[in-house]
Amino acid sequence: MPDSAQIRVHPVTGTIMRQGVPAVLNPYDLFALEEALQIKDRLGGRIVALCMGPPQAEAALRKALSLGVDDAVLVSDRAFAGSDTLATSFALASAIRQVGQEQPVDLVFTGKQTIDGDTGQVGPGVAKRLGMQLLSYVCRIPILDMDSQSIVVHRWTERGGQVLQSKLPCLITVLEGTSEGRFASLPEMIRATRQPIRVWNRQAAGIEDLTKIGLKGSPTVVGKVFAPSRRAERAECIEWEQDQAGKAVSLLWEKIRARQPELVEKLSGTNGGENGQERVSE
Amino acid sequence: MNERFDAIVVGAGPAGTSAALTLARGGWKVLQIERGEYPGSKNVQGAILYADSLQKLIPNFREEAPLERHLVEQRLWVLDDRSYIGSTYRSPVSNDAEPDRYTILRAQFDKWFAKKAQEAGVLLICETTVLDLLREGERVVGVRTDREEGEVYADVVILADGVNSVLARKAGIRPELGAGEVALGVKEVLFYPQESLEDRFGIQGDEGVAIEMVGKITGGMVGTAFLYTNKESLAVGIGCLLSDFRREKVPPYVLLARLKEHPALRPLLRDGEMKEYTAHLIPEGGYKAIPKLSGDGWLIVGDAGMFVNSVHREGSNLAMETGRIAAETVIELKQAGEPFTERNLHRYRQRLDQSFVMKDLRKYQHVHEVLDQNRHFLTTYPELVNRAAETLLRVDGVDKRSKEKEVVRSFRKHRSYRGLFSDAVKLWRAFR
Amino acid sequence: MSEVEEKLYQNRYRLDAGHPHIRIRDPEVCQARCTEKSCAACCPAGCYTLGPEGDITLLTDGCLECGTCRIICSEFRNVDWEYPRGGFGILFKFG
Amino acid sequence: MSESGGKPAERKGAARRKAALDPRLAEYRGVWVFVERDEQGVHPVSWELLGAARELADQLGTEVGAVVAGGAEESLESHCRDAVAYGADRVYQTVHPVLAGYRNEPYAKLLCELVKKHKPEILLLGATSLGRDLASSVATTLETGLTADCTELAIDRESRALAATRPTFGGNLLCTILTLNYRPQMATVRPRVLPQPKKDHGRSGQIQKEEIDLSEEEMVTKLLEFLPHAGGDRLDLSLAEVIVAGGKGLQRAANFSLLEELARALGGEVGATRAAVQAGWVDAQRQIGQTGKTVRPKLYIAAGISGAIQHRVGMESSDLIVAINTDPNAPIFEVAHYGIVGDALILLPLLTRTVRGQAVAAKTIGLEVYSSS
C-alpha cells in the first residue's frame, strides 16, 4: 500500500497528490508478522505471507520473506480494482482457502488495520468468511498449544485487557507496538531475493463469482474525497499577572474539566490522583 | 556467509548499476548492495540525463525508462539582484528524432535502471549498508555489511558508493574530501497541474525546458542555480562550493529561498506544492581530484571516483560510462585468464584516459581556480551586464552613442582595460 | 529554523530510533575551541544548532546524509559520520 | 486495501448514485445504535451515537432503535431507560448469561438476528475495540457496507442514503462514503467527535425484550479473566488518554520530573519532542511527531514545546490540547485549544498541585461529573 503519511491534497486543484509515494509494507502488518515469526521460532511451522495488491506490492512480500517467511503469494488482478473492505475480505478469504488446500492453516495473522484505509475491517471480515474464531486487538499470546489446538490471548480494550481462550484455527489481529521488528541476516536477504513470489490472479485465488469482488462486490461507494479544513482559530490564551500564576492555572484546570469531564471522573476513582503512581512506567 | 560471487558492486546508482548490468551480461555472478530502501532512495540529482552513455547500455531506453521531458529549450541566465540577461536556445525536436537529453526524477529512474540489471541476472540486495572492505593482505576480497552473517566474498569489488564513499575513505583509497573540492547543492521539487506548467514554459507533450543560472544569486560564491521542468513538477536548486558556504556562513536553504524569490523566478514558481527538499554533495574537484582508481581486487566508479564535469554539469553520464568501462575491463581480464591485480586493473585508468570522460575533465581542469581567484566574475560582471542591458534598452531620450559610452565607463570603473582583457584571456583559457 | 523544518516535513524518513548515525566526538571541542562553528550555518537540514553558551546540539532526525558537516569540520575532525543502518534515514521520493 | 485514493474525486459515486433503491430494501426502516456497555457502565460514544441517530431518524421520518444486551437483567434496566432518555424510541433488550462480557461470536449472532428480524436501515456502533470487532463481523455476515471510524454522519439528499465521512490515508484526506443498494447501512463513529445529547428523563420509549438461543457449550472462545490494565507494563503512548509532553523549553533532563509528576497526577504518560529525546533527556519510545509516535489522547499538555510541524503532526488530532510556552508566537498556540504564556517550570508544579487537590476534593464530595454538561 502507499505510505499514507506522504499523501496530500493539492491546495489549489484539490486533486490527490501521491506522486512518488512508495509502496511500503503496512507497518501494522509488521507487528503481525513479527508475532507469527516468534511462534515459528518457538514451535516451528510454516508461514505464508499473503498480500492483495498491485504488482509493486511484491517488494513488501520480499521483505516478509527476508524476515523468515517461508512462502509468499501476491493476489493481484485487475478485477479487484475498486474493492472495498467487504470485497477485499472475500478475495483474501478465498486465497487463504487456496493456501489451505496445500497445507492446513492454523492461524491467520493480520495487522490491526492498514495505513491507507485505517478501517480495521478486513481481518475480522476474513475470519467470518472462513468461519474462524476472531481474536482482535491482541497484544500477547501467552499460550499456544498445537497438540490440543488451544490458544490463550490477551486482547486489548479501552477499559482493560480480556484474557480469551480459544481453539485453532483462528484469526488474530495484532495490536501495534507489541514487539520490536527484526533485521534480517545477509544470507536471508539473499535467499529472499532469489525466492520466486507466486502471483495469483482471480482464478488462481479460487474466485469464480465476479459479483463478489471489485466495484461490483463493494457495497460502499466513495462519494467525495477532500482535504480536511484546518482549524483556523488560535488557542484561547489565559491572561495572568506576575504573581497570579496559581489563579491562572486554576482557571486553566477549570477549562480542561469542562471540556473533558470523564478525566475528572477517573481521577476521583481508584486509579487516579496520588494512587495512580504505578501507572507511570519509566 | 559461504556463498561467493564473481563481483560485488557497492551502490545502485547509475555507476554501480551500469557496472553490475555489464558484468551480468558478461555472464558474471554479481551481488549488488544498496543501502536505501530501493535504488534511488538515497540519490539526488538536478536532474538532466544525457542519453549517450545510457544508450550504449540500453539502446531502447526511450521506450521504457521513466523519463520526464526531453529538453527543447535551454536558457542561460546571468542574474543581477532584480534582473537577468540571458540567452535561449530552442529547437523543437521532431517526434521521430532521438533527443539526447531528458529531465528525470532520480528515485524513479534509478529504480528502473536497477530493475534492468536485475533482469540481466544481478542479485540486488537493498536496505543493507556496506561498512568495510575485507582484505587479505593488500588484496580486497569482499565486503562487510551491517547485517548478521554480513561478510561476503568476491573476486573483485566495485566501489560505486557515491560522493561520500565511506568505503574508499576508510580503506585509505581516497583522502577525505576538501571543502573546496565539493559543491553543496540543495533542491526542491514543486508540483503543478500539468497544463499550468506547460503554459508557463510554452511547452507541450514531452517537451521540457532547462534554465541554468549564474550571477549575484550565489552571493559571490562559486556556484550555479537551475530550474528544470519535469512532467508535473519543477526542480529548482542551487549549488555552491562548500568552502564558500563555510566562508559566507549562509545556510543553503536561505540561499535557495532567495533564489525562489528572485523576480525572474517567482512568477514561474508560484502556486507550486513543495513535495521534497533534498541536499547532496557534487564532486567539483575535477581532473586533479581524481583519486587512484583501482588496486588489488577493487575499482572505483562514478561520484566515488569524483567523475563529474562541473562546467557542463554532467555527472550521471560519466558515472554510467565509468561503471561500464570498469566492468568491461574486468571482463576482458577474466577472459584472458589474468588476475585482478593492481597492475592489471590499471587498464581501467588507461581505457578511461582514451574516453570522453578524462578528455573532458582534463580540458576544464583550471576552471575552478580561475573562478575562485577572480570572484568578480560572479559578482561584478553579472551586475555590469545587467546594468548595461538596462541602459541600452531604456528609451529615455538619451542618444545611443552616449549610452554606449556610459556602459563602457561603468565597466572601466570596476575593471581596468587591462583587467578586462586579462579576464577574457583567463576565461578563454579555462574553458578552452 | 522553522523554515527548514517545514521543508524537511515534506520528506520521507525512516528513523532508526536510538541509533544516530552522526555523533559529535567531543562536545567540549565545539564549545570551547571551535570558533567557526560552520556546521550550524552550513548544514542544509539545520541539524546543528548553536546554543547560547556556544555549545552545539546535533539532532540527526532530519539529516539528508549529504556529508557537509563532516567535511567542513576539517579543523578539529570532531564529527563521527557513518551512513545510517540499511534502509533507515532519508528516503527520497523523487531525488 | 481500499482503492479509493489515487483517482480523481467523485469517481465512482456519480455513476451509481442514480440507481433506485431495490424495493426489497425499502422495507428497511429505522436508525439503530448498538449500546456498548459493561459492568462499569455504558461507553459515552453510545449516547453520542443516539444523539446523531435521533437527528438522522428525524430527517428520514423514522424511529431510533437501541440494542442493549448483557448477562444479567438488573444492570440492563437502567441502561435501557437511559437509552430512551438519550433519544431512543424503542430499545431491544436481550439478556442471556452467554452475553456476560463481550465476545465476538454471541454478540455478532445476536445483532445479525435482530437486524434480520427488524430490518433497520442504518446501524451505528462506536469505533472502539468492541464496536470495530463486532461491526466488521456483522457487516460481513449480512454482506452489507460498513464505513469505519466516521467523524460525521448525514443523509444524502438525493439518495436518502447515509453519507458517512471518515478520514483516510492517515488523516491526510477525508472521504464521504455511501452504501446504496445494501441494507442496513453500517458505520462506526469515533468517540468524542459527536456531541453528547441532552438527557431527557421525560422522553418515552418502548423497551422490548428479545430472546436469543445461545449455549455456552457451543461457544469456542471463552472469556477467562479481565485485567484492569490491558497492555500490562508496556508503554504505548498511542493508547494513553492523557499525555504531558515536554520539549527543549524545559532546559534540562532533571526538569522532566515536573512532567512525570503531572502525568502521574492525571493518570497519564510523558511524551517528548525529538529535540528532548535526542538531547538524551527522555527515552526514544516517548517521542511524538513525524519520526516518533502519532497520538490522539483526550488531553495533551505541551510544556516548553514550540510546536514545529514535525511535532504537531504527531499530536494535533488530540481531543484537547493545552500549551504552556514562554513565547507567545510559538506555533504550538496555533494547534492548542487553551494556552498559557509563561514558564513551564513554574506553571507545571502549580498545575500538578491543582489536579491533585481536585482529585482529593472529587473523592470527598463525590462529584457527579456526568450530570453537569
Side-chain angles (χ1 to χ4, degrees), chain A residues 93-164:
Chain A
S94 180
I96 292 169
R97 254 183 237 114
Q98 293 300 113
V99 172
Q101 294 201 339
E102 297 166 5
Q103 199 172 14
V105 177
D106 295 311
L107 284 163
V108 177
F109 285 91
T110 74
K112 184 185 86 173
Q113 61 196 45
T114 61
I115 50 164
D116 55 351
D118 295 335
T119 66
Q121 292 167 22
V122 174
V126 169
K128 186 54 73 185
R129 291 184 185 279
L130 293 173
M132 286 184 175
Q133 289 297 303
L134 167 65
L135 304 170
S136 63
Y137 299 95
V138 167
C139 50
R140 269 189 73 202
I141 306 174
I143 298 172
L144 174 61
D145 185 51
M146 298 309 290
D147 296 332
S148 63
Q149 295 276 291
S150 76
I151 185 167
V152 174
V153 301
H154 289 193
R155 176 175 182 273
W156 175 85
T157 80
E158 290 81 355
R159 289 179 172 178
Q162 286 184 323
V163 182
L164 294 169

Side-chain angles (χ1 to χ4, degrees), chain B residues 22 44 68 75 109 123 181-182 284 309 326 334 342 420:
Chain B
T22 307
V44 178
E68 292 288 311
R75 306 182 195 168
F109 177 84
L123 187 75
E181 288 178 316
V182 284
E284 299 263 340
N309 179 341
K334 193 175 184 181
E342 174 159 8
L420 286 170

Side-chain angles (χ1 to χ4, degrees), chain A residues 4 9 116-117 121 133 136-137 158-159 161-163 165-166 221 223-224 226 231 235-236 238 260 281, chain D residues 38 102 129 132-133 148 166 168-169 172-174 176 178 221-222 224-225 227 286 298 333 335 337 339 341:
Chain A
S4 63
V9 170
D116 55 351
Q121 292 167 22
Q133 289 297 303
S136 63
Y137 299 95
E158 290 81 355
R159 289 179 172 178
Q162 286 184 323
V163 182
Q165 183 185 50
S166 193
V221 171
K224 165 168 95 163
F226 53 103
R231 210 164 57 90
E236 177 189 334
I238 292 160
Q260 296 290 19
S281 50
Chain D
D38 61 17
Y102 173 75
S129 66
R132 293 168 123 212
D133 181 279
R166 67 182 304 270
T168 187
F169 290 114
N172 289 311
L173 300 176
L174 291 172
T176 301
L178 308 172
T221 300
K222 311 283 182 193
L224 298 184
E225 202 185 338
L227 309 167
R286 295 192 185 271
K298 289 182 185 168
F333 289 117
V335 294
H337 300 89
V341 177

Side-chain angles (χ1 to χ4, degrees), chain B residues 133-192:
Chain B
L133 294 175
L134 297 173
R135 290 177 187 258
E136 268 169 24
E138 273 303 289
R139 195 161 63 93
V140 169
V141 293
V143 300
R144 186 167 64 86
T145 68
D146 63 348
R147 292 191 176 269
E148 270 180 50
E149 300 170 69
E151 298 193 346
V152 55
Y153 294 86
D155 297 338
V156 64
V157 175
I158 296 182
L159 282 72
D161 55 341
V163 59
N164 278 302
S165 190
V166 171
L167 283 183
R169 279 187 293 112
K170 275 191 192 163
I173 290 167
R174 205 186 76 184
E176 176 60 284
L177 296 158
E181 288 178 316
V182 284
L184 169 61
V186 287
K187 182 183 99 167
E188 286 177 18
V189 182
L190 307 163
F191 274 82
Y192 300 85

